[in-house]
Amino acid sequence: LISYPGELFMRMLKLMILPFVISCLIIGTATVNMRKNSRIAMRTIIYFITTSILNVTLGLILVLTIHPGSPQVHVNTTTTVNNGNTTLLDSFLDMGRNLVTDNIFQSAFEQTYTEYYSPEREKALINHAAEEKNFTQSSEITQARRLSFRNGTNTLGIIFFCITFGSVLGSIGPQKTIVIEFFTVIYQVLLKMLMGVIWFTPVGVGSIICGKIISVENLS
């Protein structure tokens, strides 16, 4: 209960992140020239692709060298899976799908990713539990690929949409003034709200620290 103020503090910060980023990007890209917009967009995409490649490379190196997790899981497995692992190509294709999102509102809380599943296993689960038991004893599992969604903000898709929207908005002439003023007002309101949340920082951070200390069973 002592960490409850800290929980509210973090929720308030998370609440303002997305509208704050959207308003800042649209205002920034709509008020600069097209050459600068193209540079910003290109640098953003290159930065995201570079960091993603580094993350994938680091993950592969760690998996191949130290084998994180319990090795007994692999030893005790009697079934083999054909093409059941997400490949590097799938990761790049998922990056493109998240970059060009088909629903900007869904991007606020979900990301697209490639998932491998077994149609036979799902069919066995639907039909009867006994069939699933016999199915798990088979020597080979054929898997299919499909697109699924997982929780998490699709930051790349939102940034790409905002930069594109702001760039086009900045090129339509005098009509853009009303829309830019609209997002400017939103930015100013969010900025004042953020300043109010900052005053709550000592209480929020202090309660989080106290909650973590209390949750430790043995401090010695």
Side-chain angles (χ1 to χ4, degrees):
L1 186 60
I2 194 173
S3 62
Y4 183 69
E7 179 184 352
L8 296 180
F9 172 72
M10 295 302 299
R11 292 175 69 90
M12 286 188 292
L13 288 178
K14 293 178 181 179
L15 174 66
M16 290 183 292
I17 289 176
L18 189 58
F20 199 83
V21 170
I22 292 175
S23 60
C24 287
L25 286 175
I26 292 178
I27 294 172
T29 53
T31 53
V32 297
N33 56 50
M34 291 297 295
R35 179 175 296 180
K36 290 184 178 180
N37 281 342
S38 60
R39 291 179 180 177
I40 293 173
M42 186 60 63
R43 289 177 181 177
T44 302
I45 296 173
I46 292 175
Y47 173 79
F48 190 87
I49 293 176
T50 303
T51 54
S52 299
I53 293 175
L54 292 176
N55 292 334
V56 172
T57 304
L58 178 61
L60 291 175
I61 292 175
L62 293 177
V63 168
L64 295 176
T65 54
I66 65 176
H67 302 286
S70 176
Q72 298 299 326
V73 175
H74 178 72
V75 173
N76 295 332
T77 302
T78 58
T79 58
T80 59
V81 178
N82 290 333
N83 299 326
N85 296 324
T86 303
T87 63
L88 186 60
L89 177 61
D90 292 328
S91 300
F92 280 107
L93 294 178
D94 291 340
M95 187 186 305
R97 296 186 184 101
N98 287 315
L99 176 67
V100 186
T101 177
D102 58 348
N103 191 332
I104 189 62
F105 299 102
Q106 187 179 20
S107 298
F109 53 87
E110 284 186 341
Q111 299 177 0
T112 304
Y113 75 102
T114 301
E115 178 187 29
Y116 285 89
Y117 72 103
S118 173
E120 293 83 359
R121 181 184 293 275
E122 290 190 353
K123 183 178 179 180
L125 288 173
I126 295 174
N127 292 337
H128 201 276
E131 295 183 12
E132 168 64 13
K133 182 178 180 180
N134 295 330
F135 178 76
T136 55
Q137 296 176 355
S138 62
S139 59
E140 187 173 334
I141 300 176
T142 303
Q143 293 203 344
R145 184 176 61 180
R146 65 184 175 188
L147 296 180
S148 300
F149 298 95
R150 59 188 172 197
N151 295 330
T153 304
N154 181 11
T155 307
L156 181 62
I158 293 175
I159 291 176
F160 179 77
F161 174 81
C162 292
I163 292 177
T164 305
F165 182 85
S167 301
V168 176
L169 177 63
S171 63
I172 63 175
Q175 299 91 339
K176 66 182 181 182
T177 306
I178 298 177
V179 182
I180 294 177
E181 290 179 353
F182 170 76
F183 284 102
T184 302
V185 172
I186 292 179
Y187 170 77
Q188 293 174 353
V189 171
L190 291 171
L191 189 60
K192 288 188 176 182
M193 292 174 61
L194 182 61
M195 295 302 297
V197 174
I198 289 176
W199 283 101
F200 191 67
T201 301
V203 178
V205 175
S207 64
I208 293 175
I209 295 175
C210 292
K212 294 297 182 181
I213 294 175
I214 294 175
S215 63
V216 177
E217 296 181 357
N218 187 6
L219 293 176
S220 61

